Amino acid sequence: MADLMNPRESGPEQPAPGRGAGLGSLTAGRATAVLDDRMRIIGWSAEAEALFGYGPSEVLGRRADDIVTDTVTGAGLSAASGGSGTTDETTPYGIRSVRHRDGRPMPVALTLDQLSHGTGGAAWLLVAMGLDLLRQRAIDRAMLDGLHRQSPVQLVVYDTDARVRWINKAIERQFGVTSDEVVGRFVHDILPEGVLLTEDGHSVKDVERPIFEVLRTGEPVIDVRYRSTTRLDPHHEHVWSLSYFLLRDDTGRPVGVCEAGLDITDRYVVRQRLALLSRAGGSIGRTLDMRETAQGLARLAVPEFADAVTVDLLEPVLDGQEPPRDGSPTPELRQVARYARDEVSGAVGDIADALNAVRLRCLAEGAPVTDLAAGALAVPLSARGALLGTAVFVRTAPRDPFDTEETALAGELVSRTAVCVDNARRYAHEHATALTLQRELLPRRLARPAGVELAHRYLPAAGPVGVGGDWYDVIPLSGARVGLVVGDVAGRGLGAAATMGRLRTTVAALAALDLPPDELLARLDDLVARPCAPRLTDTEDDDEDQALGVTCLYAVYDPVSRMCVMARAGHPPPVLAVPGGPAETMAVPAGPPLGLGGLPFESVSLELPEGSTLALFTDGLVESRTRDIDIGTGVLCDTLTAPGAGPLEETCDAVVGGLVPQPPEDDAALLLVRVHALPEHLVATWGIPADPGEVAHARSLACGRLADWEVPDEAAFVVELVVSELVTNAIRYGGAPVQLRLIRERGLIVEVSDGGHTSPHLRRAAMEDEGGRGLFLVAQLTDSWGTRYTPAGKTIWTEVPLNPPQLPDLFAVDAFSL
């Protein structure tokens, strides 16, 4: 097999007949001539023709001395062979000068090999070689000998079955094997622990795979990483860089594969450490989930750095709480990550007690702890001066124990993980706080005004985006009307939740003023646009306003008239589903988002058919990264168009299930409102002439309707008193047209409208004043009262309970008469 290491030489693969056929493979690259027993030339190779310049026809049958006589000494071949051909089996002639056919002297190296002692046949083989080729052959032999005996590069020659056929001395020195032991065997039989390493650090048992790849393709395979122990060093693993190339014979037929290897253990370890740190930046802390972050560390370290990794965190940390400080009792650990090579999982379980001991020592000392017997290294997870938990790295034989540099590397990996875990903990704490705040700010139980059915859902965003600022509300208004609001604050976290709470409170306060929707949004816009409006962050140098980008929709529904008035500020328009018809998006002017300032808002008013369903929502319900808002709105319309007006809660579930089957990427809020009209017999309206003498008639009309409604005497007395006072004020101070309206809902609503625009107010009357006590009495006897303005004037309204509290003696029915 040593011949397989020789480089291929030029020359014919099969010598021509008559020129030494059959000898070409033995004399490739050298000039040869066959001589008979009389030293006559009977064979002449192409190489001889090229070297000496004579063609076969010029030399065949001639004596060799005519061609190769030494030009210096005149000695020929016959003298060296004794004339009769009796000589040693091989006669070296060394260097001599012969004459080329063109007459120039030419130094060559000659040897004469005896073939037989017969007569009339081939007796001698003359081999000649130019000095340049001779020198190259000498170099080749020296190189081969050096590669075989002195080279630090390990060389192995395999046959086409991937069996070892030859090794150099470097293999013997580094692996502690001999050629006799390995020739004819497979590598996996010689080194059963050896594996090939993939680029991701995993191992492959098929160590012959590169050999067959070279045999299949003919192309070299470069820099294959091989890891194994050796007979001389059975307790430490080494890593080699191996390259493979194809070996061919003189005919070009593959005869084997040569493997060249170099021990790169130290360099490999350094590169792997650097690569490990590089990958740590991209694989640890990609999410704000503490368990996933810990698992990322374990997956990163196995199998390159360790055979198994466990990560344990303190229970308060997992709950998002601040980790304990120095002097505080150490809470319990909870394992959040465990990853191991399949083949060592059982071995790691066998040393569970030792691992627990090293873990507790690390936690108590707050520093790395090594257990050589268990092959374990425990490193504390610390961030911002607080201990979060521990990470334990385990190696099994034959891998080396963790050295000082590897302990430092583990500390760097764990330090990066600890920062990410602490960020995740702080996020979890803020997320939980923001979610709690948002839930506290959102209405737990919506008001249930007459004339509407309600169903609502709020779905907080999942993942690291944080809690948003979506909200909705239902606000009872005067005259049995109801205010409906839905809004969305840009941003995430505590700031968004707090801003949402402030805006929701402001909307409720403005709604209590009975402002129309467009005016309410205009005032809210003024508030948001002020420089002192809530900011996105607590930093003074951040000029970004948290409230900028707030969207809102406000609607007022009147169950008496079935009219709905609404306006929106950059918010998605509502969807209306009319019984027996398709659900459609309502044409409500968009208006700018809140906070831009100075831009108008426009209200629209429309009559809603009995039993219609109004859907108010935020964009998180209908829009996502994979779905356009128009498509989502279409799905909402299709769901609301479904035949049959079933329970509103079921409809709400169907909408959420169709649009948000998974936790949403953004907060989503939905408010469904099914509207109904108040029965006509529960509403009474009269026009009152603007004449003080009509006050008694107004009381009489009211008392008659209260009797029809079977209102208790105490409540009827209060209504009679309120009607008298409000109608009197309307006629005296407001002017025509004057209108009285009674509504029997859960209580009694008394409304008196007039043409004036001056709002009445309570005042303290002096003892000598004849008037000024009317509104004071009204305020004392009713649950609430107020003023709302209309295009024609104003309306004073009051709400009287059906079962008023005990009246003072001054207002007793049998002691007071109007």
Side-chain angles (χ1 to χ4, degrees):
M1 293 300 295
D3 290 340
L4 294 176
M5 298 298 297
N6 294 335
R8 289 190 64 196
E9 299 169 349
S10 61
E13 297 181 358
Q14 298 293 335
R19 298 185 182 181
L23 298 176
S25 60
L26 299 176
T27 60
R30 292 168 288 184
T32 58
V34 180
L35 312 180
D36 62 11
D37 54 356
R38 297 181 181 182
M39 306 299 288
R40 290 178 300 187
I41 299 173
I42 60 175
W44 190 252
S45 70
E47 288 84 356
E49 180 180 356
L51 179 63
F52 293 101
Y54 295 97
S57 61
E58 297 178 275
V59 298
L60 291 178
R62 295 178 61 182
R63 291 177 57 82
D65 289 348
D66 296 342
I67 306 301
V68 294
T69 298
D70 192 322
T71 60
V72 178
T73 64
L77 295 179
S78 300
S81 62
S84 61
T86 57
T87 185
D88 297 334
E89 184 174 344
T90 300
T91 304
Y93 282 85
I95 307 298
R96 65 167 53 192
S97 177
V98 300
R99 195 167 300 281
H100 192 270
R101 185 179 183 280
D102 60 11
R104 58 182 171 85
M106 180 178 61
V108 295
L110 298 175
T111 60
L112 188 63
D113 297 327
Q114 188 174 6
L115 298 177
S116 69
H117 297 287
T119 59
W124 299 91
L125 175 66
L126 175 64
V127 179
M129 186 183 305
L131 290 186
D132 291 340
L133 182 58
L134 179 64
R135 294 190 186 97
Q136 184 61 48
R137 290 299 179 93
I139 293 173
D140 291 346
R141 285 194 298 270
M143 180 193 69
L144 292 176
D145 185 69
L147 290 175
H148 177 62
R149 300 180 183 280
Q150 302 178 25
S151 172
V153 177
Q154 301 139 8
L155 295 173
V156 183
V157 173
Y158 302 92
D159 62 19
T160 54
D161 292 329
R163 295 177 184 271
V164 175
R165 288 303 175 190
W166 179 86
I167 61 174
N168 69 346
K169 294 297 182 180
I171 292 287
E172 296 181 356
R173 289 192 299 268
Q174 296 185 35
F175 285 84
V177 296
T178 66
S179 178
D180 293 339
E181 292 177 290
V182 300
V183 169
R185 301 175 64 188
F186 294 105
V187 172
H188 65 259
D189 294 327
I190 303 168
L191 300 170
E193 299 298 326
V195 294
L196 298 181
L197 299 178
T198 61
E199 291 184 359
D200 57 4
H202 290 79
S203 58
V204 177
K205 281 287 189 180
D206 185 11
V207 294
E208 283 85 14
R209 184 172 63 180
I211 301 173
F212 291 113
E213 179 71 12
V214 172
L215 289 169
R216 183 180 64 84
T217 65
E219 298 295 327
V221 175
I222 307 299
D223 196 23
V224 176
R225 304 300 169 86
Y226 175 77
R227 185 180 68 198
S228 177
T229 58
T230 68
R231 179 183 295 178
L232 298 178
D233 193 9
H235 302 296
H236 300 88
E237 290 188 319
H238 292 252
V239 177
W240 289 268
S241 173
L242 306 179
S243 296
Y244 302 82
F245 58 91
L246 189 64
L247 299 176
R248 302 177 185 271
D249 63 12
D250 294 330
T251 65
R253 181 176 57 88
V255 295
V257 173
C258 183
E259 171 194 281
L262 191 64
D263 191 327
I264 60 166
T265 303
D266 294 339
R267 176 159 52 94
Y268 177 81
V269 170
V270 172
R271 290 182 60 183
Q272 291 304 103
R273 291 173 182 174
L274 293 176
L276 199 63
L277 285 175
S278 177
R279 291 200 304 274
S283 61
I284 297 178
R286 292 183 296 179
T287 70
L288 286 174
D289 182 274
M290 285 181 275
R291 288 176 172 81
E292 181 60 31
T293 298
Q295 193 66 23
L297 170 64
R299 286 193 297 264
L300 174 72
V302 176
E304 276 187 61
F305 186 71
D307 294 317
V309 175
T310 62
V311 180
D312 297 78
L313 297 180
L314 299 176
E315 287 190 350
V317 173
L318 286 171
D319 295 334
Q321 304 174 20
E322 281 289 331
R325 300 290 175 174
D326 293 341
S328 303
T330 303
E332 292 293 326
L333 284 169
R334 192 184 307 170
Q335 190 169 103
V336 295
R338 176 190 173 105
Y339 196 67
R341 292 165 50 201
D342 294 339
E343 56 268 31
V344 302
S345 295
V348 173
D350 294 339
I351 59 172
D353 292 341
L355 296 183
N356 189 53
V358 74
R359 186 181 295 114
L360 294 178
R361 278 184 56 201
C362 174
L363 197 63
E365 298 176 12
V369 174
T370 303
D371 186 333
L372 295 178
L377 168 65
V379 181
L381 276 86
S382 301
R384 299 188 300 115
L387 191 63
L388 308 176
T390 63
V392 179
F393 302 86
V394 181
R395 283 182 178 175
T396 58
R399 299 187 71 171
D400 295 341
F402 297 99
D403 58 23
T404 303
E405 292 182 356
E406 289 171 328
T407 300
L409 174 61
E412 176 66 22
L413 294 175
V414 172
S415 176
R416 296 187 183 193
T417 304
V419 171
C420 297
V421 167
D422 191 54
N423 289 339
R425 178 200 64 79
R426 297 170 69 182
Y427 161 75
H429 176 72
E430 179 176 335
H431 186 271
T433 303
L435 189 58
T436 300
L437 174 62
Q438 188 175 44
R439 286 174 175 168
E440 290 296 325
L441 293 174
L442 285 173
R444 295 185 180 180
R445 299 176 61 185
L446 291 177
R448 299 289 176 176
V452 294
E453 298 177 52
L454 300 172
H456 54 93
R457 297 289 185 274
Y458 170 71
L459 295 89
V465 295
V467 174
D470 293 14
W471 92 93
Y472 52 86
D473 209 349
V474 176
I475 306 170
L477 301 175
S478 63
R481 297 169 307 132
V482 57
L484 307 170
V485 61
V486 62
D488 187 358
V489 176
R492 295 288 182 270
L494 286 173
T499 300
M500 177 272 289
R502 288 191 286 264
L503 291 176
R504 175 174 174 262
T505 302
T506 302
V507 170
L510 293 175
L513 299 177
D514 275 318
L515 298 175
D518 56 342
E519 185 174 345
L520 182 144
L521 292 180
R523 294 199 183 186
L524 191 62
D525 179 60
D526 291 340
L527 173 68
V528 171
R530 292 177 185 174
C532 59
R535 294 191 180 278
L536 177 63
T537 65
D538 295 331
T539 57
E540 295 182 359
D541 58 347
D542 191 341
D543 293 331
E544 185 176 2
D545 193 336
Q546 173 71 53
L548 290 178
V550 173
T551 65
C552 184
L553 184 146
Y554 181 63
V556 176
Y557 173 68
D558 187 347
V560 176
S561 64
R562 298 203 321 270
M563 297 299 296
C564 183
V565 184
M566 62 182 66
R568 63 189 179 109
H571 200 82
V575 169
L576 178 64
V578 178
E584 296 180 341
T585 300
M586 301 181 68
V588 181
L594 298 175
L596 299 182
L599 299 175
F601 299 92
E602 183 180 353
S603 293
V604 295
S605 178
L606 68 158
E607 183 177 345
L608 302 183
E610 171 67 21
S612 298
T613 299
L614 193 63
L616 288 74
F617 53 90
T618 58
D619 57 3
L621 181 74
V622 294
E623 185 179 30
S624 69
R625 287 184 298 177
T626 59
R627 182 180 60 209
D628 186 81
I629 189 171
D630 293 334
I631 296 176
T633 304
V635 174
L636 173 60
C637 291
D638 293 341
T639 306
L640 294 177
T641 305
L648 204 58
E649 288 291 336
E650 294 182 4
T651 304
C652 200
D653 288 337
V655 170
V656 172
L659 287 170
V660 195
Q662 302 295 331
E665 302 167 353
D666 189 11
D667 284 21
L670 172 65
L671 176 62
L672 293 184
V673 183
R674 184 169 291 162
V675 299
H676 302 285
L678 284 180
E680 293 183 1
H681 69 278
L682 296 181
V683 181
T685 305
W686 302 279
I688 306 298
D691 183 348
E694 294 294 328
V695 174
H697 181 59
R699 289 199 305 267
S700 176
L701 293 172
C703 288
R705 183 51 60 94
L706 293 176
D708 294 340
W709 289 342
E710 298 180 351
V711 174
D713 290 343
E714 289 81 1
F717 169 73
V718 173
V719 171
E720 189 177 356
L721 178 61
V722 169
V723 168
S724 179
E725 178 61 31
L726 295 184
V727 171
T728 298
N729 285 345
I731 294 174
R732 180 179 300 174
Y733 303 111
V738 177
Q739 178 181 281
L740 170 63
R741 183 167 76 166
L742 299 182
I743 301 174
R744 191 188 191 292
E745 197 227 340
R746 292 181 175 86
L748 294 169
I749 299 173
V750 180
E751 295 183 344
V752 176
S753 303
D754 60 55
H757 290 85
T758 302
S759 175
H761 60 278
L762 291 174
R763 65 183 180 89
R764 181 178 296 277
M767 292 294 295
E768 64 276 9
D769 289 344
E770 295 182 0
R773 299 179 178 84
L775 281 181
F776 178 77
L777 296 177
V778 169
Q780 295 297 312
L781 296 176
T782 61
D783 278 352
S784 58
W785 73 279
T787 304
R788 70 173 181 267
Y789 293 91
T790 66
K794 68 177 181 296
T795 298
I796 309 297
W797 57 268
T798 65
E799 293 184 358
V800 178
L802 288 175
N803 297 300
Q806 183 67 37
L807 295 173
D809 292 341
L810 177 62
F811 302 118
V813 175
D814 57 355
F816 188 85
S817 176
L818 293 174

